[in-house]
DNA sequence: GTACAGTGGTGAATCGTTCCAGACCGTACT
DNA sequence: AGTACGGTCTGGAACGATTCACCACTGTAC
């Protein structure tokens, strides 16, 4: 392997390795003349710093780990873009892990991040990983929770108000006159799911009741949504809901497929609203109403919190940034189905 | 920082550091008794190996770098999932970079990967990075090209037959009687775009001609697609195409929005076909015809090629796996618009 | 009684950086 | 002249794992 190291560079430039290191790290202690000799040598040898050695010496890497629930969900890739953008501006990079809502995979990635001594970690947890996160912090890797707050007063967090979002959805469904509502969600172990459901229940009770049928799917994919939709269609007509609130847009799109496939009209027979307002919600077969979350802004905020903690140490008190969700109405819950133009 | 190292473990277990290392690496030279003493000590101290030190000594990491054109495009996340799956089975992990079709970002990520001494690299290149890739290989990081083949006989590659795919699309449009076709693509610097266009032209000529209007957008996003669609709508009626082939589904969905927004009927006024068959193509406003590529399988194949080269060294001759695309017909090119049910 | 093989374990060298105490030099101040 | 000082640069000690030559011991064969 023809790998030039810093010593080779030093030899060619006729300086010490310390000086080369100073050039690499832009320390001000190098005269322009020697600096250019060094950079020439670097160029000539095709030298690229070995990050492992640097990390070993410094004790930490310049990469940040991020663990998301599902890379196939555009919401998370949008958050990740916000994160990446902010990190890049601070000369840091991102290594992205996908837990796929699986606690074991999550643990495997945490092992990886810990072995890599990432300089910080952004995570939307699946399992009960609080002790692991504490340990990571003890090791010097601050942790910021993304879209997960509850019971984590000792971590900074960025999230959106899921209870409010759930309430917005149900208020809207009630507002268009629906009375038999259903909630299609993922595992209740996932906090967002729980909160969105709670918000929905609260709104429902405030409006004077009505049943809320809850369908809990093992994952929050479009495939799961289709299954959930079929399940609801199997109900006796009288029990069949006239409005469905899905815990995310992927589920909602799956439900929509099941409904239209069975020949039902959305929203006339059943109204449907999702969550996240992913890009594809607006362009789906029946443009989908949804609860919008500012994904990229959340990513940026999370990255900024993390960088602050990496660079300045633990804050006096942990911060919890809460974004407000927003109702976006499209055809799938539009009362009057005459104007069927996508927004 | 309370970070136990291998020496602390050795001291607690009353063995040498070499023995601890043997336990960590599952070398067979350790008796069950000492092994359990060591694992107990590891447990007690919460020891986690420092990967930087390991890498430094071994000269290479166990992570693989992957560079994609656009993380927001579901096609690429599907490929990435296939890759990740295969890597995980070989106890390797993935660090994902997003060039966002930007040559500068691509170079930045290549720097990062090179500094990290990734054990291998999967890349869908944007700019002219052949020399960089050669250098990476010289450094001991094999490179496999994903979805990019041409002129790279000295790298293994996995791709789909883009010329064939382009031909399939145009043959289909001609088959449903369209005569004024347009191609909406990204920069011709991107090889897939060029090949899909070439395939389209070939098919068109074979069928006896007709014009093919080419719209070249700077990126291949849905936003760009919308702009392209508006551009085509500005044409004098006589010049307006009656069929559009978009170089990917994101573009196609954007075009679709522009068309339906202006009140035109798809496919009656203008037929539309995309490329990739991403999940959301089937559930879009007008279900979108597309050219399907086996994304996950491509990812798996690429990862396997790469792992083979990492573990066994350069192959006798580089392999080029070529997947065949497949035409998927949905409403956006359906001749008879009566049965408007999504498939 | 010696040679030999095999097993389980040791300890020091090594990987390529960063960091720091100090050397060296010329200039400014007392 | 002597001292102080800032600016450059040097050389060597870390960082924490892996690896490898070697050692100690046991049992077995001759």
């Amino acid at each position: 392997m023809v790998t030039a190291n810093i010593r080779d560079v030093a030899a060619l430039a006729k300086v010490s390795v310390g000086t080369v290191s100073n050039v690499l790290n832009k320390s001000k202690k190098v005269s322009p003349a020697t600096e250019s000799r060094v950079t020439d040598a670097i160029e000539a040898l095709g030298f690229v710093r070995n990050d492992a050695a640097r990390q070993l010496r410094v004790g930490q890497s310049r990469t940040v780990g991020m663990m998301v629930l599902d890379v196939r969900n555009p919401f998370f890739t949008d958050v990740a873009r916000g994160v990446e953008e902010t990190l890049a501006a601070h000369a840091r990079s991102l290594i992205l892990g996908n837990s796929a809502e699986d606690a074991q995979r999550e643990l495997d990635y945490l092992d990886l991040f810990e072995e890599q001594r990432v300089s910080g970690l952004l995570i939307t947890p699946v399992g009960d990983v609080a002790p692991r996160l504490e340990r990571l912090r003890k090791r010097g890797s601050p942790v910021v929770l993304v879209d997960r707050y509850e019971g984590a007063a000792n971590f900074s967090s960025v999230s959106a108000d899921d209870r409010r979002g759930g309430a917005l959805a149900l208020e809207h469904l009630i507002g268009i006159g629906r009375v038999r509502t259903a909630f299609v969600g993922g595992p209740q172990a996932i906090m967002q799911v729980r909160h969105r459901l709670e918000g929905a229940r609260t709104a429902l009770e405030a409006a004077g009741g009505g049943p809320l049928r809850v369908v809990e799917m093992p994952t929050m994919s479009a495939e799961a949504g289709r299954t959930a939709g079929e399940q609801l269609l199997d109900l006796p007509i009288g029990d069949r809901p006239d409005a469905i609130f899905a815990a995310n847009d992927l589920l909602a799109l799956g439900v929509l497929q099941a409904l239209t496939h069975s020949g039902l009209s959305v929203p006339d027979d059943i109204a449907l609203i999702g969550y996240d307002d992913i890009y594809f919600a607006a362009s789906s077969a029946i443009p989908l109403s949804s609860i919008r979350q500012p994904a990229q802004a959340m990513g940026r905020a999370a990255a900024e919190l993390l960088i602050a903690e990496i660079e300045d140490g633990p804050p006096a008190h942990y911060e919890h940034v809460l974004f407000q969700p927003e109702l976006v109405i499209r055809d799938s819950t539009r009362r009057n189905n005459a104007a069927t133009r996508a927004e």
Side-chain angles (χ1 to χ4, degrees), chain A residues 141-161:
Chain A
S141 307
V143 176
V144 168
L145 302 182
V146 177
D147 208 16
R148 202 63 63 92
Y149 160 40
E150 186 94 331
N154 49 343
F155 290 103
S156 285
S157 70
V158 169
S159 50
D161 191 338

Short mmCIF file of all heavy atoms in Angstrom, two decimals, chain A residues 141-161:
data_model
loop_
_atom_site.label_atom_id
_atom_site.label_comp_id
_atom_site.label_asym_id
_atom_site.label_seq_id
_atom_site.Cartn_x
_atom_site.Cartn_y
_atom_site.Cartn_z
N SER A 141 -19.62 11.76 24.59
CA SER A 141 -20.45 12.00 23.42
C SER A 141 -21.82 12.51 23.86
O SER A 141 -22.65 11.71 24.28
CB SER A 141 -20.64 10.72 22.61
OG SER A 141 -19.40 10.14 22.30
N PRO A 142 -22.05 13.80 23.76
CA PRO A 142 -23.36 14.32 24.11
C PRO A 142 -24.45 13.70 23.24
O PRO A 142 -24.17 13.26 22.12
CB PRO A 142 -23.25 15.82 23.81
CG PRO A 142 -21.81 16.10 23.67
CD PRO A 142 -21.15 14.82 23.28
N VAL A 143 -25.64 13.69 23.77
CA VAL A 143 -26.77 13.09 23.06
C VAL A 143 -27.91 14.10 23.01
O VAL A 143 -28.21 14.74 24.02
CB VAL A 143 -27.26 11.82 23.79
CG1 VAL A 143 -28.49 11.25 23.13
CG2 VAL A 143 -26.15 10.78 23.85
N VAL A 144 -28.50 14.24 21.85
CA VAL A 144 -29.70 15.07 21.72
C VAL A 144 -30.81 14.20 21.15
O VAL A 144 -30.60 13.47 20.18
CB VAL A 144 -29.46 16.30 20.82
CG1 VAL A 144 -30.77 16.98 20.47
CG2 VAL A 144 -28.53 17.28 21.51
N LEU A 145 -31.95 14.25 21.77
CA LEU A 145 -33.08 13.44 21.31
C LEU A 145 -33.84 14.18 20.22
O LEU A 145 -34.08 15.39 20.33
CB LEU A 145 -34.02 13.14 22.47
CG LEU A 145 -33.38 12.42 23.65
CD1 LEU A 145 -34.43 12.12 24.72
CD2 LEU A 145 -32.72 11.14 23.20
N VAL A 146 -34.19 13.47 19.19
CA VAL A 146 -34.92 14.06 18.09
C VAL A 146 -36.34 13.53 18.11
O VAL A 146 -36.55 12.32 18.07
CB VAL A 146 -34.26 13.71 16.74
CG1 VAL A 146 -35.07 14.27 15.59
CG2 VAL A 146 -32.84 14.23 16.71
N ASP A 147 -37.28 14.45 18.19
CA ASP A 147 -38.67 14.05 18.09
C ASP A 147 -39.05 13.06 19.19
O ASP A 147 -39.79 12.12 18.95
CB ASP A 147 -38.89 13.40 16.71
CG ASP A 147 -40.33 13.57 16.26
OD1 ASP A 147 -41.01 14.41 16.85
OD2 ASP A 147 -40.75 12.86 15.34
N ARG A 148 -38.48 13.29 20.38
CA ARG A 148 -38.77 12.40 21.50
C ARG A 148 -38.35 13.14 22.75
O ARG A 148 -37.20 13.49 22.90
CB ARG A 148 -37.90 11.12 21.34
CG ARG A 148 -38.44 9.95 22.08
CD ARG A 148 -39.80 9.58 21.53
NE ARG A 148 -39.78 9.16 20.16
CZ ARG A 148 -39.64 7.88 19.79
NH1 ARG A 148 -39.53 6.94 20.66
NH2 ARG A 148 -39.63 7.56 18.52
N TYR A 149 -39.26 13.33 23.66
CA TYR A 149 -38.89 14.20 24.74
C TYR A 149 -39.16 13.58 26.11
O TYR A 149 -38.27 13.38 26.93
CB TYR A 149 -39.63 15.54 24.60
CG TYR A 149 -39.73 16.36 25.84
CD1 TYR A 149 -38.64 16.45 26.73
CD2 TYR A 149 -40.89 17.05 26.14
CE1 TYR A 149 -38.75 17.21 27.87
CE2 TYR A 149 -40.98 17.81 27.28
CZ TYR A 149 -39.92 17.88 28.15
OH TYR A 149 -40.02 18.63 29.29
N GLU A 150 -40.40 13.24 26.31
CA GLU A 150 -40.91 12.69 27.56
C GLU A 150 -39.90 11.93 28.41
O GLU A 150 -39.17 11.06 27.95
CB GLU A 150 -42.02 11.69 27.17
CG GLU A 150 -42.78 11.12 28.32
CD GLU A 150 -44.03 11.97 28.55
OE1 GLU A 150 -44.02 13.18 28.24
OE2 GLU A 150 -45.01 11.40 29.00
N GLY A 151 -39.91 12.24 29.67
CA GLY A 151 -39.13 11.45 30.62
C GLY A 151 -37.64 11.50 30.34
O GLY A 151 -36.88 10.64 30.72
N ALA A 152 -37.22 12.53 29.63
CA ALA A 152 -35.81 12.61 29.29
C ALA A 152 -35.35 14.01 29.61
O ALA A 152 -34.72 14.68 28.82
CB ALA A 152 -35.60 12.28 27.82
N ALA A 153 -35.69 14.44 30.82
CA ALA A 153 -35.37 15.80 31.20
C ALA A 153 -33.88 16.04 31.20
O ALA A 153 -33.41 17.16 31.11
CB ALA A 153 -35.95 16.09 32.58
N ASN A 154 -33.11 14.96 31.29
CA ASN A 154 -31.66 15.14 31.35
C ASN A 154 -30.97 14.96 30.00
O ASN A 154 -29.79 14.61 29.93
CB ASN A 154 -31.06 14.22 32.40
CG ASN A 154 -31.57 12.81 32.25
OD1 ASN A 154 -32.59 12.58 31.58
ND2 ASN A 154 -30.89 11.87 32.84
N PHE A 155 -31.73 15.14 28.95
CA PHE A 155 -31.13 15.26 27.62
C PHE A 155 -31.80 16.45 26.93
O PHE A 155 -33.00 16.65 27.11
CB PHE A 155 -31.37 14.01 26.77
CG PHE A 155 -30.61 12.82 27.24
CD1 PHE A 155 -31.25 11.81 27.94
CD2 PHE A 155 -29.25 12.70 26.97
CE1 PHE A 155 -30.54 10.70 28.38
CE2 PHE A 155 -28.55 11.59 27.41
CZ PHE A 155 -29.19 10.60 28.12
N SER A 156 -31.04 17.17 26.15
CA SER A 156 -31.69 18.17 25.32
C SER A 156 -32.52 17.46 24.26
O SER A 156 -32.25 16.30 23.93
CB SER A 156 -30.66 19.07 24.65
OG SER A 156 -30.12 19.98 25.58
N SER A 157 -33.51 18.14 23.76
CA SER A 157 -34.34 17.49 22.76
C SER A 157 -34.97 18.49 21.81
O SER A 157 -35.10 19.67 22.14
CB SER A 157 -35.45 16.67 23.43
OG SER A 157 -36.38 17.54 24.01
N VAL A 158 -35.28 17.98 20.65
CA VAL A 158 -36.03 18.76 19.67
C VAL A 158 -37.23 17.91 19.29
O VAL A 158 -37.08 16.74 18.98
CB VAL A 158 -35.19 19.02 18.41
CG1 VAL A 158 -36.06 19.57 17.30
CG2 VAL A 158 -34.06 19.97 18.73
N SER A 159 -38.40 18.49 19.36
CA SER A 159 -39.55 17.69 18.96
C SER A 159 -40.66 18.59 18.50
O SER A 159 -40.58 19.81 18.59
CB SER A 159 -40.02 16.79 20.10
OG SER A 159 -40.17 17.56 21.27
N ALA A 160 -41.68 17.96 17.98
CA ALA A 160 -42.87 18.71 17.63
C ALA A 160 -43.94 18.27 18.61
O ALA A 160 -43.88 17.19 19.19
CB ALA A 160 -43.29 18.42 16.20
N ASP A 161 -44.92 19.12 18.80
CA ASP A 161 -45.95 18.86 19.79
C ASP A 161 -46.93 17.83 19.23
O ASP A 161 -47.90 18.17 18.56
CB ASP A 161 -46.66 20.17 20.12
CG ASP A 161 -47.56 20.02 21.33
OD1 ASP A 161 -47.96 18.88 21.64
OD2 ASP A 161 -47.86 21.04 21.96
#
